[in-house]
Amino acid sequence: MARARYWEPIAQWMFIVPAGAYLLLFFGYPIVKNVVMSFQQYTTTTFYTGAAPFVGLRNYSEILSSALFSKALLTTVLFTAGSIAGQFVLGLAFALFFHRRFPLGGVLRSLLLLPWLLPLVVSATTWKWMLDTDTGVVNDVLRDLHLQSSGIPWLTGTSQALVSVMVVNIWVGIPFNTTILYSGLQEIPAHLYEAAKLDGAGPMASFRHVTWPLLRPAVNVVLVLGAVYTVKVLDLILVVTGGGPANATETLATQSYELSFQQFEFGRGAAMSNVLVAISLTFAFVYLRAHRRAQHA
């Protein structure tokens, strides 16, 4: 008995130590290294000389004072807000639609998950082909319907490119929003709708007084997680527009990538990514508070 008590805490630590080592190695070290690099003049010459002198806050000062940063920040805000609004409205509409029982409802609900199952590069490449000015199917359909005589530069026009990548991101995010909101709708007891109907409430009144209040925890989760994901979207924008034309779709994420892997200014790129991490942590903090409130509701 005494021997079992002696080995019990050791066995507990044997389960904790691998997980702790994994977190430190694959999460802790990259974060600390990135923070240290943001205070260094870390360029390609560092790989040969090993010298990366500390420059204090100079990297942060340079990126925050550049004209491209303010434009990228505004583009990030517009891209995130537009994507979240579109994903949520369409996701809620699909969730309410599939909440009703009808033939082939399960099959159609499964097909809705298709954008979520495809690799993001495949989805982005397909949309890039569809939105091509000369050979894209979207312009072909518009011309066949006599709605447009010439091709619209969806990806090469400075006024259309941001809206185009936003539409692609909305299409990719609809399945996630629909799934979470549909799960939230399933948790609402049916007898509440029956009671509202007996009180004379119509569909709109039932949505306002029953569905929306009880769906709010799921709404909070969808909005906050969607914001965290959208702020750092990189691969989709790189494939569809590459941040162009004329920096029209340049966000903080693409600018961090450009500084680090195209200009090889690793210190400034790390500083930019840390700004992005700080913004994401803000949304993550909001998510944790919303999740805690939902658990205690």
PDB file of all heavy atoms in Angstrom, residues 19 55 84 93 108 140 155 221 242 272 296:
ATOM      1  N   ALA A  19       3.518  15.784 -22.465  1.00  0.00           N
ATOM      2  CA  ALA A  19       2.676  16.872 -22.986  1.00  0.00           C
ATOM      3  C   ALA A  19       3.349  18.225 -22.765  1.00  0.00           C
ATOM      4  O   ALA A  19       3.331  19.101 -23.645  1.00  0.00           O
ATOM      5  CB  ALA A  19       1.300  16.843 -22.307  1.00  0.00           C
ATOM      6  N   VAL A  55      18.286  45.750 -31.637  1.00  0.00           N
ATOM      7  CA  VAL A  55      17.980  47.120 -32.073  1.00  0.00           C
ATOM      8  C   VAL A  55      16.837  47.711 -31.274  1.00  0.00           C
ATOM      9  O   VAL A  55      16.274  48.735 -31.676  1.00  0.00           O
ATOM     10  CB  VAL A  55      17.631  47.129 -33.574  1.00  0.00           C
ATOM     11  CG1 VAL A  55      18.845  46.758 -34.403  1.00  0.00           C
ATOM     12  CG2 VAL A  55      16.451  46.193 -33.863  1.00  0.00           C
ATOM     13  N   ILE A  84     -16.667  37.988 -41.752  1.00  0.00           N
ATOM     14  CA  ILE A  84     -17.439  37.510 -40.599  1.00  0.00           C
ATOM     15  C   ILE A  84     -18.932  37.763 -40.804  1.00  0.00           C
ATOM     16  O   ILE A  84     -19.772  36.895 -40.534  1.00  0.00           O
ATOM     17  CB  ILE A  84     -16.948  38.204 -39.311  1.00  0.00           C
ATOM     18  CG1 ILE A  84     -15.514  37.797 -39.003  1.00  0.00           C
ATOM     19  CG2 ILE A  84     -17.845  37.849 -38.129  1.00  0.00           C
ATOM     20  CD1 ILE A  84     -15.325  36.337 -38.792  1.00  0.00           C
ATOM     21  N   ALA A  93     -28.635  31.478 -41.935  1.00  0.00           N
ATOM     22  CA  ALA A  93     -29.741  31.164 -42.846  1.00  0.00           C
ATOM     23  C   ALA A  93     -29.761  29.668 -43.175  1.00  0.00           C
ATOM     24  O   ALA A  93     -30.819  29.025 -43.149  1.00  0.00           O
ATOM     25  CB  ALA A  93     -29.601  31.991 -44.128  1.00  0.00           C
ATOM     26  N   LEU A 108     -28.236  17.009 -48.240  1.00  0.00           N
ATOM     27  CA  LEU A 108     -27.899  18.384 -48.589  1.00  0.00           C
ATOM     28  C   LEU A 108     -27.006  19.016 -47.518  1.00  0.00           C
ATOM     29  O   LEU A 108     -26.101  19.798 -47.832  1.00  0.00           O
ATOM     30  CB  LEU A 108     -29.185  19.207 -48.760  1.00  0.00           C
ATOM     31  CG  LEU A 108     -30.080  18.800 -49.933  1.00  0.00           C
ATOM     32  CD1 LEU A 108     -31.367  19.611 -49.938  1.00  0.00           C
ATOM     33  CD2 LEU A 108     -29.328  19.002 -51.249  1.00  0.00           C
ATOM     34  N   ASP A 140     -18.104  34.713 -68.026  1.00  0.00           N
ATOM     35  CA  ASP A 140     -18.805  34.056 -69.135  1.00  0.00           C
ATOM     36  C   ASP A 140     -20.310  34.023 -68.886  1.00  0.00           C
ATOM     37  O   ASP A 140     -21.116  34.295 -69.792  1.00  0.00           O
ATOM     38  CB  ASP A 140     -18.278  32.625 -69.311  1.00  0.00           C
ATOM     39  CG  ASP A 140     -16.907  32.597 -69.960  1.00  0.00           C
ATOM     40  OD1 ASP A 140     -16.495  33.645 -70.514  1.00  0.00           O
ATOM     41  OD2 ASP A 140     -16.234  31.549 -69.889  1.00  0.00           O
ATOM     42  N   LEU A 155     -10.067  40.121 -60.047  1.00  0.00           N
ATOM     43  CA  LEU A 155      -8.842  39.947 -59.260  1.00  0.00           C
ATOM     44  C   LEU A 155      -7.763  40.961 -59.610  1.00  0.00           C
ATOM     45  O   LEU A 155      -6.768  41.072 -58.883  1.00  0.00           O
ATOM     46  CB  LEU A 155      -8.288  38.519 -59.450  1.00  0.00           C
ATOM     47  CG  LEU A 155      -9.260  37.384 -59.134  1.00  0.00           C
ATOM     48  CD1 LEU A 155      -8.606  36.039 -59.401  1.00  0.00           C
ATOM     49  CD2 LEU A 155      -9.729  37.481 -57.678  1.00  0.00           C
ATOM     50  N   VAL A 221     -19.485  32.187 -29.857  1.00  0.00           N
ATOM     51  CA  VAL A 221     -18.371  31.296 -30.224  1.00  0.00           C
ATOM     52  C   VAL A 221     -18.049  31.434 -31.710  1.00  0.00           C
ATOM     53  O   VAL A 221     -16.876  31.543 -32.110  1.00  0.00           O
ATOM     54  CB  VAL A 221     -18.722  29.838 -29.875  1.00  0.00           C
ATOM     55  CG1 VAL A 221     -17.682  28.888 -30.450  1.00  0.00           C
ATOM     56  CG2 VAL A 221     -18.815  29.666 -28.369  1.00  0.00           C
ATOM     57  N   GLY A 242      -2.271  37.274 -54.279  1.00  0.00           N
ATOM     58  CA  GLY A 242      -0.888  37.540 -53.902  1.00  0.00           C
ATOM     59  C   GLY A 242      -0.707  38.868 -53.186  1.00  0.00           C
ATOM     60  O   GLY A 242       0.402  39.396 -53.125  1.00  0.00           O
ATOM     61  N   MET A 272       6.071  42.301 -37.165  1.00  0.00           N
ATOM     62  CA  MET A 272       4.731  42.378 -37.758  1.00  0.00           C
ATOM     63  C   MET A 272       3.870  41.198 -37.301  1.00  0.00           C
ATOM     64  O   MET A 272       2.684  41.366 -36.990  1.00  0.00           O
ATOM     65  CB  MET A 272       4.846  42.387 -39.282  1.00  0.00           C
ATOM     66  CG  MET A 272       3.514  42.461 -40.017  1.00  0.00           C
ATOM     67  SD  MET A 272       2.653  44.007 -39.726  1.00  0.00           S
ATOM     68  CE  MET A 272       3.642  45.084 -40.778  1.00  0.00           C
ATOM     69  N   HIS A 296     -21.697  29.116 -17.674  1.00  0.00           N
ATOM     70  CA  HIS A 296     -22.404  29.458 -16.445  1.00  0.00           C
ATOM     71  C   HIS A 296     -23.821  29.961 -16.705  1.00  0.00           C
ATOM     72  O   HIS A 296     -24.512  30.358 -15.775  1.00  0.00           O
ATOM     73  CB  HIS A 296     -21.631  30.534 -15.679  1.00  0.00           C
ATOM     74  CG  HIS A 296     -20.333  30.026 -15.113  1.00  0.00           C
ATOM     75  ND1 HIS A 296     -19.154  30.004 -15.843  1.00  0.00           N
ATOM     76  CD2 HIS A 296     -20.030  29.496 -13.903  1.00  0.00           C
ATOM     77  CE1 HIS A 296     -18.183  29.497 -15.090  1.00  0.00           C
ATOM     78  NE2 HIS A 296     -18.687  29.177 -13.922  1.00  0.00           N
TER      79      HIS A 296
END
